[in-house]
Amino acid sequence: MCTLSFQGKGYSPDFVRNYKKIAKILNDNEDTLIEVAGYMDDICSACPNKIDEIICKTQDKIMRLDAAHSSALELKTGETLSWRAAKERIKKYMSLEKFHLSCQGCSWKKYGVCQKALEELQQSI
């Protein structure tokens, strides 16, 4: 969900630079494989909120958000799928109601870009 709506903003210049690189790879080749991680992933690697390689300053919140998204999208830790398949799964399973529940507590939700990206995806052919 976060990559779907990524706008080039973030927690720090290093985080944004890293996330832009990841988003570009995925959007340039939607067959790129991604793994559902149950820990800090490549996106988190440049986040200034990480304490070490496995713990974030907001770990409890991240774990709640990850669990809610995994449940809504029927994802399992360790599962591998393409970015194309991930977007298809979001389109199929993430209703606006599930979005509001799954993203409750996320500081980015209030800006509306995530909901807009979801609505655009759902309207695409």
Side-chain angles (χ1 to χ4, degrees), residues 11-27:
Y11 305 106
S12 70
D14 286 342
F15 177 84
V16 170
R17 192 170 20 262
N18 181 58
Y19 208 154
K20 278 184 179 178
K21 179 181 159 188
I22 292 168
K24 181 173 177 16
I25 290 167
L26 295 174
N27 290 319

Side-chain angles (χ1 to χ4, degrees), residues 27-65:
N27 290 319
D28 285 353
N29 181 2
E30 291 189 339
D31 293 322
T32 300
L33 296 178
I34 54 177
E35 180 182 346
V36 179
Y39 49 85
M40 286 193 162
D41 58 18
D42 291 340
I43 294 167
C44 300
S45 68
C47 183
N49 292 326
K50 73 177 189 168
I51 295 171
D52 57 29
E53 296 307 312
I54 56 171
I55 300 291
C56 176
K57 290 177 186 174
T58 60
Q59 190 68 27
D60 290 340
K61 179 177 87 170
I62 298 301
M63 289 176 68
R64 280 192 314 273
L65 290 168

Side-chain angles (χ1 to χ4, degrees), residues 2 9-10 18-19 23 25 29 34 37 42 46 52 60 73 75-77 79 81 85 87 107 123:
C2 300
K9 297 175 177 71
N18 181 58
Y19 208 154
I25 290 167
N29 181 2
I34 54 177
D42 291 340
D52 57 29
D60 290 340
L73 297 172
L75 292 168
K76 293 182 177 38
T77 300
E79 183 177 351
L81 64 164
K87 289 190 340 181
S107 58
Q123 293 171 4

Side-chain angles (χ1 to χ4, degrees), residues 1-6 19 69 72-73 75 83 86 90-91 94-95 99 102-103 113-119 121:
M1 279 296 302
C2 300
T3 302
L4 182 66
S5 59
F6 179 67
Y19 208 154
H69 284 87
L73 297 172
L75 292 168
W83 176 233
I90 293 167
K91 185 175 181 176
M94 188 60 78
S95 65
F99 163 77
S102 298
C103 297
V113 295
C114 304
Q115 182 174 332
K116 182 179 178 190
L118 176 60
E119 289 170 344
L121 178 68

